[in-house]
Amino acid sequence: RGTMNLHRSSLIVYRLSFVPPLLLIDSVSKSFGDQAVVRDLSFTVEPGEIFGLLGPNGAGKTTTLRMVLDLFKPDSGTIEVFGGPIDEHKKDRIGYMPEERGLYDDLKLADCLHYLGTLKGLGRREAKTRVEAALKRFDLWDHRKKKVEKLSRGMAQKAQIIAATLHDPDLLIVDEPFANLDPVNVELVKTTLDEMRARGKAVIMSSHQLHLVEAMCDRIVLINKGERIVYGTVREVKQQFAGNEVL
């Protein structure tokens, strides 16, 4: 009886402490015509981690992310976000920064960010307050009245980061977040992502800059031709592919 009570207590503790993944991808496949782009892909993204989604061009990374965002429907398999199917309310809890520009070129920078913030559920006053704080933090306040099309590539990259994080998403997806940034701004973006992780958010980062992936990511998945090739913590992956060492 004592052993039985111990097992019951352990089960209760487990149930109370279990936190479902923020993103679950289970045996997902997607084809366009005769071309299979994603093949039986599975992985999870947990709260409080930076997760690396890696692979060569054409590996299926962008298609996978678009299925997560409900832009594409998988042909088979299951995708769960925040414990269940995606819906419009859950989309407001996701931030997405695509590799290509996702801003309105003919709007002034501050106006563009304010508008995008309201689309994610922020009130007008709250959006204005957050835009001002973010522009000052990313050293863009003096450029707030410039049209987006007049920004340098580095400035536009920082503006994209602001747009993706302005509503403080629980799940942030960033595609090549460090492109076009000088070392000072790379550190600023790294700090921003680290702060989100520390607050229990999850970040999915797709990048070809593997030294930054190694330095920042808790776990990674590497896909090629739509299939999972490598999956695990950075330490596990390095150990798996390390050669013999002689001291």
Side-chain angles (χ1 to χ4, degrees), residues 191-228:
T191 299
T192 300
L193 301 184
D194 283 336
E195 289 172 351
M196 294 189 68
R197 169 170 54 188
R199 290 187 289 115
K201 315 287 188 176
V203 179
I204 301 176
M205 183 172 75
S206 179
S207 177
H208 291 296
Q209 295 173 280
L210 296 184
H211 65 290
L212 292 173
V213 170
E214 181 178 351
M216 296 185 64
C217 289
D218 301 285
R219 296 187 303 131
I220 64 171
V221 63
L222 172 65
I223 61 177
N224 187 38
K225 297 180 180 179
E227 296 182 326
R228 191 179 83 183

PDB file of all heavy atoms in Angstrom, residues 191-228:
ATOM      1  N   THR A 191      20.159  39.498 -27.637  1.00  0.00           N
ATOM      2  CA  THR A 191      19.654  39.830 -26.307  1.00  0.00           C
ATOM      3  C   THR A 191      18.133  39.789 -26.281  1.00  0.00           C
ATOM      4  O   THR A 191      17.526  39.281 -25.324  1.00  0.00           O
ATOM      5  CB  THR A 191      20.151  41.229 -25.890  1.00  0.00           C
ATOM      6  OG1 THR A 191      21.582  41.226 -25.842  1.00  0.00           O
ATOM      7  CG2 THR A 191      19.597  41.619 -24.530  1.00  0.00           C
ATOM      8  N   THR A 192      17.505  40.296 -27.331  1.00  0.00           N
ATOM      9  CA  THR A 192      16.042  40.284 -27.414  1.00  0.00           C
ATOM     10  C   THR A 192      15.502  38.862 -27.388  1.00  0.00           C
ATOM     11  O   THR A 192      14.543  38.560 -26.665  1.00  0.00           O
ATOM     12  CB  THR A 192      15.575  40.993 -28.697  1.00  0.00           C
ATOM     13  OG1 THR A 192      16.034  42.357 -28.681  1.00  0.00           O
ATOM     14  CG2 THR A 192      14.061  40.987 -28.815  1.00  0.00           C
ATOM     15  N   LEU A 193      16.112  37.972 -28.154  1.00  0.00           N
ATOM     16  CA  LEU A 193      15.658  36.583 -28.193  1.00  0.00           C
ATOM     17  C   LEU A 193      15.935  35.873 -26.868  1.00  0.00           C
ATOM     18  O   LEU A 193      15.104  35.083 -26.397  1.00  0.00           O
ATOM     19  CB  LEU A 193      16.343  35.848 -29.348  1.00  0.00           C
ATOM     20  CG  LEU A 193      16.105  36.423 -30.750  1.00  0.00           C
ATOM     21  CD1 LEU A 193      16.768  35.534 -31.806  1.00  0.00           C
ATOM     22  CD2 LEU A 193      14.628  36.583 -31.058  1.00  0.00           C
ATOM     23  N   ASP A 194      17.081  36.152 -26.271  1.00  0.00           N
ATOM     24  CA  ASP A 194      17.413  35.550 -24.974  1.00  0.00           C
ATOM     25  C   ASP A 194      16.420  35.984 -23.896  1.00  0.00           C
ATOM     26  O   ASP A 194      16.038  35.194 -23.026  1.00  0.00           O
ATOM     27  CB  ASP A 194      18.833  35.922 -24.552  1.00  0.00           C
ATOM     28  CG  ASP A 194      19.901  35.127 -25.295  1.00  0.00           C
ATOM     29  OD1 ASP A 194      19.578  34.024 -25.778  1.00  0.00           O
ATOM     30  OD2 ASP A 194      21.037  35.618 -25.397  1.00  0.00           O
ATOM     31  N   GLU A 195      16.000  37.241 -23.941  1.00  0.00           N
ATOM     32  CA  GLU A 195      15.033  37.740 -22.970  1.00  0.00           C
ATOM     33  C   GLU A 195      13.685  37.035 -23.112  1.00  0.00           C
ATOM     34  O   GLU A 195      13.028  36.729 -22.116  1.00  0.00           O
ATOM     35  CB  GLU A 195      14.856  39.258 -23.133  1.00  0.00           C
ATOM     36  CG  GLU A 195      16.065  40.062 -22.680  1.00  0.00           C
ATOM     37  CD  GLU A 195      15.946  41.533 -23.023  1.00  0.00           C
ATOM     38  OE1 GLU A 195      15.005  41.907 -23.755  1.00  0.00           O
ATOM     39  OE2 GLU A 195      16.790  42.316 -22.569  1.00  0.00           O
ATOM     40  N   MET A 196      13.293  36.773 -24.355  1.00  0.00           N
ATOM     41  CA  MET A 196      12.030  36.067 -24.577  1.00  0.00           C
ATOM     42  C   MET A 196      12.116  34.646 -24.022  1.00  0.00           C
ATOM     43  O   MET A 196      11.188  34.163 -23.376  1.00  0.00           O
ATOM     44  CB  MET A 196      11.687  36.054 -26.064  1.00  0.00           C
ATOM     45  CG  MET A 196      11.384  37.423 -26.642  1.00  0.00           C
ATOM     46  SD  MET A 196      10.732  37.345 -28.324  1.00  0.00           S
ATOM     47  CE  MET A 196       9.124  36.597 -28.027  1.00  0.00           C
ATOM     48  N   ARG A 197      13.221  33.977 -24.261  1.00  0.00           N
ATOM     49  CA  ARG A 197      13.413  32.621 -23.729  1.00  0.00           C
ATOM     50  C   ARG A 197      13.354  32.628 -22.207  1.00  0.00           C
ATOM     51  O   ARG A 197      12.720  31.753 -21.598  1.00  0.00           O
ATOM     52  CB  ARG A 197      14.748  32.052 -24.202  1.00  0.00           C
ATOM     53  CG  ARG A 197      15.146  30.771 -23.477  1.00  0.00           C
ATOM     54  CD  ARG A 197      16.351  30.094 -24.115  1.00  0.00           C
ATOM     55  NE  ARG A 197      17.488  30.981 -24.249  1.00  0.00           N
ATOM     56  CZ  ARG A 197      18.600  30.666 -24.910  1.00  0.00           C
ATOM     57  NH1 ARG A 197      18.703  29.492 -25.499  1.00  0.00           N
ATOM     58  NH2 ARG A 197      19.597  31.522 -24.997  1.00  0.00           N
ATOM     59  N   ALA A 198      13.985  33.614 -21.583  1.00  0.00           N
ATOM     60  CA  ALA A 198      14.014  33.688 -20.122  1.00  0.00           C
ATOM     61  C   ALA A 198      12.620  33.888 -19.534  1.00  0.00           C
ATOM     62  O   ALA A 198      12.372  33.518 -18.382  1.00  0.00           O
ATOM     63  CB  ALA A 198      14.937  34.821 -19.683  1.00  0.00           C
ATOM     64  N   ARG A 199      11.699  34.446 -20.319  1.00  0.00           N
ATOM     65  CA  ARG A 199      10.333  34.668 -19.844  1.00  0.00           C
ATOM     66  C   ARG A 199       9.399  33.523 -20.231  1.00  0.00           C
ATOM     67  O   ARG A 199       8.181  33.659 -20.140  1.00  0.00           O
ATOM     68  CB  ARG A 199       9.802  36.001 -20.381  1.00  0.00           C
ATOM     69  CG  ARG A 199      10.498  37.201 -19.744  1.00  0.00           C
ATOM     70  CD  ARG A 199       9.871  38.517 -20.139  1.00  0.00           C
ATOM     71  NE  ARG A 199      10.140  38.863 -21.524  1.00  0.00           N
ATOM     72  CZ  ARG A 199       9.213  38.957 -22.470  1.00  0.00           C
ATOM     73  NH1 ARG A 199       7.946  38.700 -22.194  1.00  0.00           N
ATOM     74  NH2 ARG A 199       9.543  39.298 -23.700  1.00  0.00           N
ATOM     75  N   GLY A 200       9.958  32.406 -20.672  1.00  0.00           N
ATOM     76  CA  GLY A 200       9.158  31.229 -20.961  1.00  0.00           C
ATOM     77  C   GLY A 200       8.589  31.171 -22.354  1.00  0.00           C
ATOM     78  O   GLY A 200       7.804  30.272 -22.671  1.00  0.00           O
ATOM     79  N   LYS A 201       8.982  32.122 -23.216  1.00  0.00           N
ATOM     80  CA  LYS A 201       8.531  32.088 -24.601  1.00  0.00           C
ATOM     81  C   LYS A 201       9.362  31.053 -25.374  1.00  0.00           C
ATOM     82  O   LYS A 201      10.391  30.573 -24.894  1.00  0.00           O
ATOM     83  CB  LYS A 201       8.693  33.460 -25.253  1.00  0.00           C
ATOM     84  CG  LYS A 201       8.220  34.631 -24.414  1.00  0.00           C
ATOM     85  CD  LYS A 201       6.728  34.696 -24.336  1.00  0.00           C
ATOM     86  CE  LYS A 201       6.287  35.987 -23.649  1.00  0.00           C
ATOM     87  NZ  LYS A 201       4.816  36.129 -23.634  1.00  0.00           N
ATOM     88  N   ALA A 202       8.905  30.719 -26.559  1.00  0.00           N
ATOM     89  CA  ALA A 202       9.671  29.831 -27.436  1.00  0.00           C
ATOM     90  C   ALA A 202      10.015  30.572 -28.721  1.00  0.00           C
ATOM     91  O   ALA A 202       9.191  31.333 -29.246  1.00  0.00           O
ATOM     92  CB  ALA A 202       8.885  28.561 -27.754  1.00  0.00           C
ATOM     93  N   VAL A 203      11.220  30.357 -29.204  1.00  0.00           N
ATOM     94  CA  VAL A 203      11.687  30.990 -30.437  1.00  0.00           C
ATOM     95  C   VAL A 203      12.114  29.891 -31.406  1.00  0.00           C
ATOM     96  O   VAL A 203      12.926  29.029 -31.049  1.00  0.00           O
ATOM     97  CB  VAL A 203      12.869  31.945 -30.180  1.00  0.00           C
ATOM     98  CG1 VAL A 203      13.356  32.561 -31.488  1.00  0.00           C
ATOM     99  CG2 VAL A 203      12.480  33.032 -29.178  1.00  0.00           C
ATOM    100  N   ILE A 204      11.558  29.912 -32.599  1.00  0.00           N
ATOM    101  CA  ILE A 204      12.024  29.038 -33.681  1.00  0.00           C
ATOM    102  C   ILE A 204      12.882  29.895 -34.596  1.00  0.00           C
ATOM    103  O   ILE A 204      12.412  30.887 -35.159  1.00  0.00           O
ATOM    104  CB  ILE A 204      10.862  28.426 -34.475  1.00  0.00           C
ATOM    105  CG1 ILE A 204       9.953  27.615 -33.551  1.00  0.00           C
ATOM    106  CG2 ILE A 204      11.388  27.547 -35.609  1.00  0.00           C
ATOM    107  CD1 ILE A 204       8.722  27.059 -34.261  1.00  0.00           C
ATOM    108  N   MET A 205      14.130  29.512 -34.747  1.00  0.00           N
ATOM    109  CA  MET A 205      15.074  30.302 -35.528  1.00  0.00           C
ATOM    110  C   MET A 205      15.597  29.486 -36.696  1.00  0.00           C
ATOM    111  O   MET A 205      16.148  28.402 -36.513  1.00  0.00           O
ATOM    112  CB  MET A 205      16.237  30.761 -34.640  1.00  0.00           C
ATOM    113  CG  MET A 205      17.240  31.660 -35.342  1.00  0.00           C
ATOM    114  SD  MET A 205      18.462  32.361 -34.201  1.00  0.00           S
ATOM    115  CE  MET A 205      19.504  30.941 -33.912  1.00  0.00           C
ATOM    116  N   SER A 206      15.400  30.008 -37.887  1.00  0.00           N
ATOM    117  CA  SER A 206      15.966  29.392 -39.083  1.00  0.00           C
ATOM    118  C   SER A 206      17.105  30.278 -39.558  1.00  0.00           C
ATOM    119  O   SER A 206      16.909  31.480 -39.793  1.00  0.00           O
ATOM    120  CB  SER A 206      14.897  29.249 -40.175  1.00  0.00           C
ATOM    121  OG  SER A 206      15.451  28.672 -41.340  1.00  0.00           O
ATOM    122  N   SER A 207      18.301  29.724 -39.657  1.00  0.00           N
ATOM    123  CA  SER A 207      19.453  30.538 -40.018  1.00  0.00           C
ATOM    124  C   SER A 207      20.530  29.668 -40.645  1.00  0.00           C
ATOM    125  O   SER A 207      20.682  28.494 -40.310  1.00  0.00           O
ATOM    126  CB  SER A 207      20.010  31.245 -38.783  1.00  0.00           C
ATOM    127  OG  SER A 207      21.163  31.992 -39.108  1.00  0.00           O
ATOM    128  N   HIS A 208      21.287  30.270 -41.566  1.00  0.00           N
ATOM    129  CA  HIS A 208      22.450  29.600 -42.138  1.00  0.00           C
ATOM    130  C   HIS A 208      23.732  29.973 -41.386  1.00  0.00           C
ATOM    131  O   HIS A 208      24.801  29.448 -41.702  1.00  0.00           O
ATOM    132  CB  HIS A 208      22.597  29.962 -43.617  1.00  0.00           C
ATOM    133  CG  HIS A 208      21.525  29.389 -44.489  1.00  0.00           C
ATOM    134  ND1 HIS A 208      21.345  28.034 -44.668  1.00  0.00           N
ATOM    135  CD2 HIS A 208      20.549  29.987 -45.217  1.00  0.00           C
ATOM    136  CE1 HIS A 208      20.320  27.819 -45.488  1.00  0.00           C
ATOM    137  NE2 HIS A 208      19.825  28.992 -45.824  1.00  0.00           N
ATOM    138  N   GLN A 209      23.625  30.896 -40.421  1.00  0.00           N
ATOM    139  CA  GLN A 209      24.791  31.311 -39.637  1.00  0.00           C
ATOM    140  C   GLN A 209      24.945  30.348 -38.461  1.00  0.00           C
ATOM    141  O   GLN A 209      24.482  30.595 -37.349  1.00  0.00           O
ATOM    142  CB  GLN A 209      24.613  32.760 -39.182  1.00  0.00           C
ATOM    143  CG  GLN A 209      24.600  33.738 -40.356  1.00  0.00           C
ATOM    144  CD  GLN A 209      24.254  35.141 -39.934  1.00  0.00           C
ATOM    145  OE1 GLN A 209      23.103  35.484 -39.739  1.00  0.00           O
ATOM    146  NE2 GLN A 209      25.262  35.978 -39.798  1.00  0.00           N
ATOM    147  N   LEU A 210      25.636  29.243 -38.729  1.00  0.00           N
ATOM    148  CA  LEU A 210      25.645  28.133 -37.788  1.00  0.00           C
ATOM    149  C   LEU A 210      26.370  28.449 -36.489  1.00  0.00           C
ATOM    150  O   LEU A 210      26.074  27.843 -35.457  1.00  0.00           O
ATOM    151  CB  LEU A 210      26.261  26.899 -38.454  1.00  0.00           C
ATOM    152  CG  LEU A 210      25.469  26.345 -39.657  1.00  0.00           C
ATOM    153  CD1 LEU A 210      26.122  25.070 -40.175  1.00  0.00           C
ATOM    154  CD2 LEU A 210      24.023  26.091 -39.285  1.00  0.00           C
ATOM    155  N   HIS A 211      27.306  29.390 -36.500  1.00  0.00           N
ATOM    156  CA  HIS A 211      27.974  29.742 -35.244  1.00  0.00           C
ATOM    157  C   HIS A 211      26.992  30.399 -34.279  1.00  0.00           C
ATOM    158  O   HIS A 211      27.073  30.201 -33.068  1.00  0.00           O
ATOM    159  CB  HIS A 211      29.160  30.656 -35.511  1.00  0.00           C
ATOM    160  CG  HIS A 211      28.806  32.000 -36.065  1.00  0.00           C
ATOM    161  ND1 HIS A 211      28.327  32.184 -37.349  1.00  0.00           N
ATOM    162  CD2 HIS A 211      28.839  33.243 -35.502  1.00  0.00           C
ATOM    163  CE1 HIS A 211      28.097  33.463 -37.564  1.00  0.00           C
ATOM    164  NE2 HIS A 211      28.391  34.132 -36.462  1.00  0.00           N
ATOM    165  N   LEU A 212      26.021  31.152 -34.820  1.00  0.00           N
ATOM    166  CA  LEU A 212      25.002  31.756 -33.964  1.00  0.00           C
ATOM    167  C   LEU A 212      23.998  30.705 -33.505  1.00  0.00           C
ATOM    168  O   LEU A 212      23.513  30.747 -32.374  1.00  0.00           O
ATOM    169  CB  LEU A 212      24.306  32.890 -34.710  1.00  0.00           C
ATOM    170  CG  LEU A 212      25.170  34.115 -34.994  1.00  0.00           C
ATOM    171  CD1 LEU A 212      24.447  35.112 -35.877  1.00  0.00           C
ATOM    172  CD2 LEU A 212      25.598  34.783 -33.687  1.00  0.00           C
ATOM    173  N   VAL A 213      23.682  29.771 -34.382  1.00  0.00           N
ATOM    174  CA  VAL A 213      22.799  28.670 -33.997  1.00  0.00           C
ATOM    175  C   VAL A 213      23.413  27.882 -32.848  1.00  0.00           C
ATOM    176  O   VAL A 213      22.753  27.579 -31.851  1.00  0.00           O
ATOM    177  CB  VAL A 213      22.530  27.751 -35.204  1.00  0.00           C
ATOM    178  CG1 VAL A 213      21.811  26.478 -34.767  1.00  0.00           C
ATOM    179  CG2 VAL A 213      21.714  28.477 -36.263  1.00  0.00           C
ATOM    180  N   GLU A 214      24.694  27.559 -32.970  1.00  0.00           N
ATOM    181  CA  GLU A 214      25.381  26.783 -31.928  1.00  0.00           C
ATOM    182  C   GLU A 214      25.430  27.555 -30.611  1.00  0.00           C
ATOM    183  O   GLU A 214      25.274  26.977 -29.533  1.00  0.00           O
ATOM    184  CB  GLU A 214      26.803  26.448 -32.384  1.00  0.00           C
ATOM    185  CG  GLU A 214      27.579  25.633 -31.373  1.00  0.00           C
ATOM    186  CD  GLU A 214      28.970  25.277 -31.867  1.00  0.00           C
ATOM    187  OE1 GLU A 214      29.264  25.510 -33.058  1.00  0.00           O
ATOM    188  OE2 GLU A 214      29.770  24.777 -31.051  1.00  0.00           O
ATOM    189  N   ALA A 215      25.619  28.865 -30.698  1.00  0.00           N
ATOM    190  CA  ALA A 215      25.744  29.669 -29.490  1.00  0.00           C
ATOM    191  C   ALA A 215      24.402  29.884 -28.790  1.00  0.00           C
ATOM    192  O   ALA A 215      24.349  29.999 -27.564  1.00  0.00           O
ATOM    193  CB  ALA A 215      26.363  31.026 -29.834  1.00  0.00           C
ATOM    194  N   MET A 216      23.299  29.897 -29.550  1.00  0.00           N
ATOM    195  CA  MET A 216      22.025  30.328 -28.979  1.00  0.00           C
ATOM    196  C   MET A 216      21.011  29.218 -28.770  1.00  0.00           C
ATOM    197  O   MET A 216      20.204  29.268 -27.847  1.00  0.00           O
ATOM    198  CB  MET A 216      21.382  31.393 -29.887  1.00  0.00           C
ATOM    199  CG  MET A 216      22.173  32.680 -29.996  1.00  0.00           C
ATOM    200  SD  MET A 216      21.274  33.910 -30.953  1.00  0.00           S
ATOM    201  CE  MET A 216      19.847  34.176 -29.888  1.00  0.00           C
ATOM    202  N   CYS A 217      21.005  28.204 -29.641  1.00  0.00           N
ATOM    203  CA  CYS A 217      19.898  27.246 -29.636  1.00  0.00           C
ATOM    204  C   CYS A 217      20.060  26.192 -28.541  1.00  0.00           C
ATOM    205  O   CYS A 217      21.162  25.704 -28.279  1.00  0.00           O
ATOM    206  CB  CYS A 217      19.791  26.554 -30.997  1.00  0.00           C
ATOM    207  SG  CYS A 217      19.181  27.643 -32.308  1.00  0.00           S
ATOM    208  N   ASP A 218      18.941  25.832 -27.932  1.00  0.00           N
ATOM    209  CA  ASP A 218      18.908  24.730 -26.978  1.00  0.00           C
ATOM    210  C   ASP A 218      18.835  23.393 -27.712  1.00  0.00           C
ATOM    211  O   ASP A 218      19.528  22.444 -27.359  1.00  0.00           O
ATOM    212  CB  ASP A 218      17.702  24.878 -26.053  1.00  0.00           C
ATOM    213  CG  ASP A 218      17.739  26.194 -25.291  1.00  0.00           C
ATOM    214  OD1 ASP A 218      18.536  26.289 -24.349  1.00  0.00           O
ATOM    215  OD2 ASP A 218      16.980  27.104 -25.639  1.00  0.00           O
ATOM    216  N   ARG A 219      17.966  23.321 -28.734  1.00  0.00           N
ATOM    217  CA  ARG A 219      17.818  22.105 -29.539  1.00  0.00           C
ATOM    218  C   ARG A 219      17.696  22.512 -30.992  1.00  0.00           C
ATOM    219  O   ARG A 219      17.370  23.654 -31.325  1.00  0.00           O
ATOM    220  CB  ARG A 219      16.572  21.305 -29.119  1.00  0.00           C
ATOM    221  CG  ARG A 219      16.643  20.774 -27.700  1.00  0.00           C
ATOM    222  CD  ARG A 219      15.451  19.844 -27.403  1.00  0.00           C
ATOM    223  NE  ARG A 219      14.185  20.522 -27.620  1.00  0.00           N
ATOM    224  CZ  ARG A 219      13.163  20.031 -28.333  1.00  0.00           C
ATOM    225  NH1 ARG A 219      13.265  18.836 -28.900  1.00  0.00           N
ATOM    226  NH2 ARG A 219      12.035  20.706 -28.457  1.00  0.00           N
ATOM    227  N   ILE A 220      17.948  21.549 -31.875  1.00  0.00           N
ATOM    228  CA  ILE A 220      17.851  21.811 -33.306  1.00  0.00           C
ATOM    229  C   ILE A 220      17.219  20.613 -34.005  1.00  0.00           C
ATOM    230  O   ILE A 220      17.235  19.492 -33.500  1.00  0.00           O
ATOM    231  CB  ILE A 220      19.223  22.100 -33.956  1.00  0.00           C
ATOM    232  CG1 ILE A 220      20.125  20.855 -33.866  1.00  0.00           C
ATOM    233  CG2 ILE A 220      19.889  23.314 -33.329  1.00  0.00           C
ATOM    234  CD1 ILE A 220      21.409  20.988 -34.679  1.00  0.00           C
ATOM    235  N   VAL A 221      16.646  20.893 -35.179  1.00  0.00           N
ATOM    236  CA  VAL A 221      16.289  19.834 -36.112  1.00  0.00           C
ATOM    237  C   VAL A 221      16.874  20.232 -37.467  1.00  0.00           C
ATOM    238  O   VAL A 221      16.784  21.390 -37.874  1.00  0.00           O
ATOM    239  CB  VAL A 221      14.758  19.625 -36.209  1.00  0.00           C
ATOM    240  CG1 VAL A 221      14.035  20.851 -36.742  1.00  0.00           C
ATOM    241  CG2 VAL A 221      14.434  18.402 -37.071  1.00  0.00           C
ATOM    242  N   LEU A 222      17.535  19.284 -38.105  1.00  0.00           N
ATOM    243  CA  LEU A 222      18.103  19.498 -39.436  1.00  0.00           C
ATOM    244  C   LEU A 222      17.307  18.657 -40.422  1.00  0.00           C
ATOM    245  O   LEU A 222      17.168  17.442 -40.235  1.00  0.00           O
ATOM    246  CB  LEU A 222      19.579  19.087 -39.463  1.00  0.00           C
ATOM    247  CG  LEU A 222      20.267  19.075 -40.833  1.00  0.00           C
ATOM    248  CD1 LEU A 222      20.347  20.480 -41.405  1.00  0.00           C
ATOM    249  CD2 LEU A 222      21.668  18.473 -40.718  1.00  0.00           C
ATOM    250  N   ILE A 223      16.755  19.314 -41.441  1.00  0.00           N
ATOM    251  CA  ILE A 223      15.982  18.583 -42.436  1.00  0.00           C
ATOM    252  C   ILE A 223      16.638  18.737 -43.800  1.00  0.00           C
ATOM    253  O   ILE A 223      17.291  19.742 -44.093  1.00  0.00           O
ATOM    254  CB  ILE A 223      14.502  19.035 -42.485  1.00  0.00           C
ATOM    255  CG1 ILE A 223      14.389  20.515 -42.860  1.00  0.00           C
ATOM    256  CG2 ILE A 223      13.829  18.795 -41.145  1.00  0.00           C
ATOM    257  CD1 ILE A 223      12.943  20.984 -43.001  1.00  0.00           C
ATOM    258  N   ASN A 224      16.477  17.725 -44.620  1.00  0.00           N
ATOM    259  CA  ASN A 224      16.993  17.735 -45.987  1.00  0.00           C
ATOM    260  C   ASN A 224      16.012  16.982 -46.872  1.00  0.00           C
ATOM    261  O   ASN A 224      15.573  15.882 -46.532  1.00  0.00           O
ATOM    262  CB  ASN A 224      18.380  17.084 -46.051  1.00  0.00           C
ATOM    263  CG  ASN A 224      19.004  17.230 -47.423  1.00  0.00           C
ATOM    264  OD1 ASN A 224      18.862  18.269 -48.070  1.00  0.00           O
ATOM    265  ND2 ASN A 224      19.689  16.200 -47.886  1.00  0.00           N
ATOM    266  N   LYS A 225      15.624  17.614 -47.967  1.00  0.00           N
ATOM    267  CA  LYS A 225      14.624  17.053 -48.881  1.00  0.00           C
ATOM    268  C   LYS A 225      13.352  16.674 -48.121  1.00  0.00           C
ATOM    269  O   LYS A 225      12.723  15.653 -48.385  1.00  0.00           O
ATOM    270  CB  LYS A 225      15.192  15.839 -49.625  1.00  0.00           C
ATOM    271  CG  LYS A 225      16.381  16.192 -50.521  1.00  0.00           C
ATOM    272  CD  LYS A 225      16.925  14.976 -51.251  1.00  0.00           C
ATOM    273  CE  LYS A 225      18.101  15.363 -52.131  1.00  0.00           C
ATOM    274  NZ  LYS A 225      18.679  14.185 -52.840  1.00  0.00           N
ATOM    275  N   GLY A 226      13.010  17.514 -47.139  1.00  0.00           N
ATOM    276  CA  GLY A 226      11.772  17.332 -46.400  1.00  0.00           C
ATOM    277  C   GLY A 226      11.820  16.310 -45.289  1.00  0.00           C
ATOM    278  O   GLY A 226      10.825  16.140 -44.575  1.00  0.00           O
ATOM    279  N   GLU A 227      12.957  15.645 -45.082  1.00  0.00           N
ATOM    280  CA  GLU A 227      13.047  14.602 -44.072  1.00  0.00           C
ATOM    281  C   GLU A 227      13.942  15.029 -42.917  1.00  0.00           C
ATOM    282  O   GLU A 227      14.926  15.756 -43.111  1.00  0.00           O
ATOM    283  CB  GLU A 227      13.600  13.308 -44.681  1.00  0.00           C
ATOM    284  CG  GLU A 227      12.704  12.695 -45.747  1.00  0.00           C
ATOM    285  CD  GLU A 227      13.268  11.399 -46.294  1.00  0.00           C
ATOM    286  OE1 GLU A 227      14.507  11.295 -46.387  1.00  0.00           O
ATOM    287  OE2 GLU A 227      12.493  10.500 -46.621  1.00  0.00           O
ATOM    288  N   ARG A 228      13.609  14.567 -41.724  1.00  0.00           N
ATOM    289  CA  ARG A 228      14.424  14.866 -40.555  1.00  0.00           C
ATOM    290  C   ARG A 228      15.699  14.043 -40.590  1.00  0.00           C
ATOM    291  O   ARG A 228      15.663  12.824 -40.660  1.00  0.00           O
ATOM    292  CB  ARG A 228      13.630  14.557 -39.276  1.00  0.00           C
ATOM    293  CG  ARG A 228      14.285  15.077 -38.014  1.00  0.00           C
ATOM    294  CD  ARG A 228      13.447  14.756 -36.802  1.00  0.00           C
ATOM    295  NE  ARG A 228      13.687  13.402 -36.322  1.00  0.00           N
ATOM    296  CZ  ARG A 228      13.049  12.837 -35.305  1.00  0.00           C
ATOM    297  NH1 ARG A 228      12.085  13.498 -34.696  1.00  0.00           N
ATOM    298  NH2 ARG A 228      13.342  11.609 -34.915  1.00  0.00           N
TER     299      ARG A 228
END
